[in-house]
Amino acid sequence: MGVSLLSTFTSLVNVPSLTISTTPTIRCPSNAVVIRCNKMDTDVPGENVLRRREVLKCFGAAVGMELLASSGSFVEMASAADLIQRRQRSEFQSSIRQTLSAAIKGKPELIPSILTLALNDAITYDKATKSGGPNGSIRLSSEISRPENNGLSAALNLIEEAKQEIDSYSKGGPISFADLIPFAGQSAVKATFLASAIRKCGGNIEKGSILYSAYGSSGQWGLFDRQFGRTDSQEPDPEGRVPQWGKATVQEMKDKFSSVGLGPRQLAVMSAFLGPDQAATEALLATDPDVTPWVQKYQRSRETVSQTDYEVDLITTLTKLCSLGQQINYEAYTYPVRKIELSKLKL
């Protein structure tokens, strides 16, 4: 039931001349709620006048009720706008995945490079300075040409071509490389799991797709998908923050992962991101006693039908890497809904 500020406070407008009867209280008019303003004795004999403090109390109460009564509509409007933006972002992400999936399907040999590209862009994060991270800076010529990024140009080219297509249908502006590179990594990961499911079904694509849909951990991508709205860096990240994975020792890899808050478990699960030959990388990681148990755990998991342990931990780790140090704009890529002019509708 609504409360009107004007109807509540009308009798209090002319404060200097306001008087009341000698009854213990007065009731400020209200459509639904009674506000009691206590009578105050004054030094003027025979007069009972509301003091300024009491008037302000009545006014404050009336304003508060007015806001409460009208807040429901504002909340409803805000919720509706939020739902519209979520749907817009979700639809845009779905289109992005379709574009990336088609691009990767045409060049599956680039999957290892895409994974490493996503890792190398993200792992430049520095806790002390809160700089670096998945900010798209790896696209810059001065960074992609560094030794640790050798051989990744073809993967970047694929992403740049996909970006042109994505920007052509985006209603909310061009997508940032800071968002597109992690999504390319996600699409590459999904492609590897789908390929694994197809192999387990004897190469039958239809059965493999059904197997992956039934047992895959698609629901685990929820948090990853919400981290959408990163901004591109216009400067390359400082040099020396990314090891050359093919030449690094296990200890150097452990130190690098530790510097961004990850441990041996996450290092083991990200083995496919550390070079073109996952088996060779895991053989190296297995020489370290801290990493060995996790390597063996994920190797066993990949032999199961669902691969749950491996897939869930990989998604979780990639999600954390792709959000290091980034401020997410949750309104990115949204756009005003076109208003319908009812007067122009033809019935």
Side-chain angles (χ1 to χ4, degrees):
M1 188 175 294
V3 181
S4 171
L5 172 60
L6 293 178
S7 64
T8 303
F9 202 64
T10 303
S11 63
L12 299 180
V13 174
N14 297 319
V15 175
S17 60
L18 179 64
T19 61
I20 62 174
S21 66
T22 58
T23 54
T25 63
I26 70 166
R27 296 178 181 270
C28 302
S30 169
N31 291 344
V33 181
V34 175
I35 306 174
R36 294 184 179 275
C37 304
N38 295 332
K39 184 199 82 171
M40 300 299 297
D41 294 333
T42 67
D43 294 334
V44 181
E47 290 192 28
N48 292 307
V49 183
L50 282 176
R51 289 184 178 179
R52 181 170 57 186
R53 178 178 298 176
E54 298 307 311
V55 173
L56 292 176
K57 284 182 179 179
C58 290
F59 179 73
V63 170
M65 287 188 297
E66 184 80 5
L67 292 175
L68 285 173
S70 61
S71 63
S73 60
F74 286 116
V75 171
E76 291 172 3
M77 290 172 62
S79 297
D82 184 53
L83 289 174
I84 291 172
Q85 290 183 343
R86 289 185 186 181
R87 186 179 69 180
Q88 290 175 350
R89 286 160 63 91
S90 178
E91 291 174 350
F92 186 41
Q93 288 177 358
S94 179
S95 298
I96 292 169
R97 291 191 192 94
Q98 291 177 16
T99 299
L100 288 170
S101 178
I104 292 172
K105 186 177 181 180
K107 296 183 178 179
E109 71 278 4
L110 292 181
I111 287 177
S113 297
I114 293 171
L115 297 177
T116 304
L117 185 77
L119 172 63
N120 284 6
D121 188 48
I123 210 162
T124 57
Y125 180 64
D126 179 68
K127 280 185 177 181
T129 60
K130 299 186 183 304
S131 61
N135 55 21
S137 64
I138 200 170
R139 77 190 189 281
L140 301 173
S141 58
S142 58
E143 189 167 331
I144 193 64
S145 61
R146 293 174 183 170
E148 65 268 22
N149 297 324
N150 184 40
L152 302 183
S153 295
L156 180 60
N157 291 338
L158 179 146
I159 292 173
E160 289 174 336
E161 292 173 2
K163 185 181 188 306
Q164 292 179 358
E165 180 180 344
I166 292 167
D167 290 347
S168 70
Y169 59 67
S170 173
K171 297 178 181 179
I175 187 171
S176 68
F177 280 95
D179 278 331
L180 187 54
I181 291 173
F183 265 76
Q186 180 197 50
S187 294
V189 166
K190 288 186 174 182
T192 62
F193 283 115
L194 177 58
S196 175
I198 292 172
R199 285 195 301 271
K200 289 176 181 177
C201 291
N204 188 302
I205 296 177
E206 183 178 357
K207 290 183 178 179
S209 298
I210 294 173
L211 177 65
Y212 180 58
S213 298
Y215 290 97
S217 302
S218 296
Q220 298 295 325
W221 289 107
L223 181 57
F224 179 94
D225 292 346
R226 287 196 292 274
Q227 306 302 310
F228 188 57
R230 306 170 188 83
T231 302
D232 281 340
S233 172
Q234 302 305 315
E235 301 290 336
D237 289 333
E239 295 186 55
R241 292 187 177 184
V242 183
Q244 295 185 51
W245 305 112
K247 298 180 179 180
T249 65
V250 179
Q251 187 60 51
E252 288 173 336
M253 296 182 192
K254 288 168 61 178
D255 291 344
K256 183 58 208 180
F257 271 65
S258 176
S259 72
V260 297
L262 302 176
R265 179 175 187 170
Q266 290 75 31
L267 175 59
V269 82
M270 294 290 286
S271 59
F273 290 70
L274 302 175
D277 190 341
Q278 184 177 15
T281 300
E282 288 188 331
L284 175 62
L285 294 175
T287 62
D288 185 280
D290 294 330
V291 190
T292 298
W294 299 110
V295 171
Q296 295 173 346
K297 174 184 176 69
Y298 297 130
Q299 286 175 338
R300 289 193 300 270
S301 179
R302 290 201 299 271
E303 294 302 317
T304 65
V305 173
S306 63
Q307 304 187 72
T308 301
D309 289 343
Y310 176 58
E311 188 171 6
V312 169
D313 284 3
L314 178 55
I315 294 170
T316 302
T317 302
L318 182 60
T319 299
K320 183 170 183 178
L321 274 168
C322 292
S323 59
L324 289 172
Q326 301 308 296
Q327 296 294 323
I328 305 300
N329 174 14
Y330 293 98
E331 295 182 354
Y333 314 117
T334 59
Y335 49 91
V337 178
R338 184 178 178 182
K339 295 181 179 180
I340 300 175
E341 296 184 28
L342 297 178
S343 61
K344 294 184 179 181
L345 289 177
K346 294 182 180 180
L347 301 178

